[in-house]
Amino acid sequence: MPTIVLDGCAVATVDAAGAEHAYGHVVLRDGRIAAVGAGPAPAVDNAERLDASGLLATPGLVNSHHHLYQWITRGYATDDTLFGWLTTLYPIWARLTPELVHAAASANLAWLALTGATTTTDHHYVFPAGAGDLLEAEILAARSIGVRFHPGRGSMNLGESQGGLPPDSVVETHDAALAATADAIDRWHDPAPDAMTRIAVAPCSPFSVTAELMRDSAALARERGVRLHTHLAETLDEERFCLETFGRTPAQYAEDLGWLADDVWLAHCVHLSGDAVARFAATGTGVAHCPTSNGRLGSGIAPVRGLLDAGAPVGLGVDGAASNESGRMVDELHQALLAARYRGGPQALTAREALRMATIGGARCLGRGSELGSLEVGKLADVALWRVADLPGAGVADPVTELVFGAATVAHLFVGGAPVVRDGVLTTADESELAAAAGAASAVIARG
């Protein structure tokens, strides 16, 4: 892999000190950051030198919650709450096949890269009986596109006949779900510091998974040394379900089951009490904040300011494209800023706090804060270069303000020093072919 010198760019390192350089450089060598600093880059032998003037270098964005298969089911139930939306879509998702998942994941991952994500998780929990290896389909898609991938092997075992929300056709048995999750870890999880694929254990939610499976999933994850992920406290419907079924709030129920800990990150967490916020911080439990999806479904606004002030890890998530049709990773910085200010006024979140959540915050959620999420010597060379001086941003003096408040676009994206986007174009796949395949898959799954 050639050494690449990014020269003449503004640099937002997102390191602990918040170091920034109005005119600086970043050097990528052997998959890691070899140098970063102010002024012109030092002389480097046998390197590709990229004129990055007019660009802003940041850490690659980390998408901390997603459902890739949903790319081919966008535009459904556009005026429903979460439970109504799920009731509409579960029967459609019951038709998933490996081919459909691969088409959806390939297109979705490409779009995430084109909008700034170098690392993404995924939460795949729909495994219709006899559908084939759906997790493999998305892992192979991620390897083809070239992004760092943290899929969660999800599960549901509480179907309608047992008082859950999903139809019985898309749930698994307790033992089958655990066995498949263990197999996914054995087959795909890479604990190496430069890993491109890591597996999380990710039962779906309190209203689709039994307490026994939640407990046993946590035990499996801790036995194998992998992380835990689920949805929690997304809606008031979920709050009512948990209170009526378990006599506990979602956060209390999660803690009862061993699901508040520093190896756990939870999606949404919109409806948290002050006590729950404090418990998240005390236990090191991470939160994937998904402001666009929460707005699309009318779920509410997560208490991000309180979580940050308390010291809980908070990342940003695009969430599945069926509840966030735009699917643009960089948009979540803007939406997080607006949502926080709707809730708490103009001081509730700054542009740099939004960028921090989308980078080192997400890396912390995934247990990779020492490897990803900031531009520091020795860290992995996952770097986004943003156009901040073109027509949309010309005249905005602060490039970070333009990134978060404005309409910056990706010029170049590197994952482990390898170019995934150059000059705004995906290098690892043909965008028109991805679009055609995803369109065809959407038609297939709609027909049934």
Side-chain angles (χ1 to χ4, degrees):
M1 187 181 300
T3 298
I4 299 174
V5 178
L6 312 175
D7 203 11
C9 48
V11 180
T13 68
V14 200
D15 65 7
E20 296 182 10
H21 311 295
Y23 177 86
H25 63 272
V26 184
V27 179
L28 317 180
R29 180 188 296 126
D30 297 328
R32 294 188 176 269
I33 297 171
V36 57
V44 179
D45 293 335
N46 301 315
E48 175 190 350
R49 186 171 292 266
L50 180 65
D51 179 4
S53 56
L55 305 179
L56 167 67
T58 71
L61 306 184
V62 179
N63 179 26
S64 59
H65 183 65
H66 211 84
H67 308 290
L68 293 171
Y69 68 90
Q70 292 182 12
W71 188 259
I72 58 172
T73 58
R74 290 178 290 171
Y76 291 81
T78 54
D79 302 313
D80 254 323
T81 62
L82 174 68
F83 279 19
W85 174 86
L86 284 170
T87 301
T88 297
L89 282 161
Y90 275 139
I92 299 169
W93 295 336
R95 303 168 194 153
L96 286 170
T97 66
E99 294 76 19
L100 294 175
V101 169
H102 189 271
S106 297
N108 204 343
L109 289 161
W111 188 235
L112 287 171
L114 287 163
T115 59
T118 51
T119 298
T120 184
T121 186
D122 189 60
H123 189 184
H124 192 101
Y125 55 84
V126 180
F127 292 93
D133 197 337
L134 305 185
L135 190 69
E136 177 186 62
E138 65 173 16
I139 290 172
L140 295 180
R143 292 184 174 182
S144 175
I145 299 300
V147 296
R148 219 174 286 281
F149 194 40
H150 280 240
R153 205 295 177 177
S155 54
M156 298 189 292
N157 74 326
L158 189 63
E160 283 178 311
S161 63
Q162 297 176 280
L165 189 67
D168 291 346
S169 63
V170 296
V171 302
E172 302 171 284
T173 67
H174 169 279
D175 291 349
L178 279 181
T181 304
D183 180 68
I185 297 168
D186 291 341
R187 184 178 179 192
W188 299 110
H189 183 70
D190 182 358
D194 60 350
M196 291 294 289
T197 308
R198 288 190 183 172
I199 300 295
V201 177
C204 181
S205 67
F207 52 83
S208 59
V209 175
T210 62
E212 181 185 19
L213 183 53
M214 291 289 287
R215 288 193 188 95
D216 290 348
S217 293
L220 173 65
R222 287 165 182 149
E223 176 189 331
R224 301 298 182 90
V226 302
R227 298 183 75 76
L228 286 156
H229 183 56
T230 192
H231 300 95
L232 195 79
E234 184 175 357
T235 67
L236 291 174
D237 286 339
E238 180 187 335
E239 178 107 353
R240 283 189 288 270
F241 177 89
C242 287
L243 287 170
E244 292 170 5
T245 306
F246 312 117
R248 307 287 278 165
T249 67
Q252 290 168 337
Y253 179 60
E255 185 159 26
D256 293 344
L257 298 174
W259 273 75
L260 295 191
D262 62 5
D263 59 354
V264 178
W265 88 103
L266 303 169
H268 302 300
C269 301
V270 172
H271 300 283
L272 297 181
S273 67
D275 288 344
V277 168
R279 290 301 300 149
F280 275 50
T283 57
T285 304
V287 172
H289 176 40
C290 305
T292 301
S293 176
N294 294 156
R296 200 272 204 190
L297 294 170
S299 301
I301 300 171
V304 169
R305 182 72 268 157
L307 287 161
L308 292 173
D309 288 347
V314 182
L316 291 181
V318 171
D319 204 0
S323 64
N324 179 1
E325 278 78 0
S326 72
R328 299 182 76 243
M329 182 63 207
V330 67
D331 283 359
E332 297 310 311
L333 286 74
H334 185 75
Q335 293 287 77
L337 183 95
L338 298 182
R341 293 183 178 199
Y342 291 147
R343 182 182 176 112
Q347 304 299 314
L349 197 72
T350 69
R352 283 164 175 80
E353 286 173 320
L355 176 58
R356 181 166 289 275
M357 285 195 295
T359 51
I360 192 65
R364 288 180 65 199
C365 285
L366 300 184
R368 302 193 74 171
S370 63
E371 304 161 43
L372 309 171
S374 60
L375 301 181
E376 299 180 73
V377 172
K379 280 198 165 185
L380 295 171
D382 294 2
V383 182
L385 283 159
W386 305 89
R387 297 186 184 98
V388 291
D390 287 0
L391 180 61
V396 180
D398 175 20
V400 176
T401 293
E402 167 57 17
L403 175 65
V404 178
F405 282 82
T409 58
V410 171
H412 311 285
L413 191 83
F414 298 91
V415 179
V420 175
V421 178
R422 293 297 296 261
D423 297 314
V425 177
L426 191 72
T427 66
T428 53
D430 184 281
E431 296 172 35
S432 61
E433 292 179 3
L434 294 175
S442 297
V444 168
I445 201 168
R447 284 197 302 267

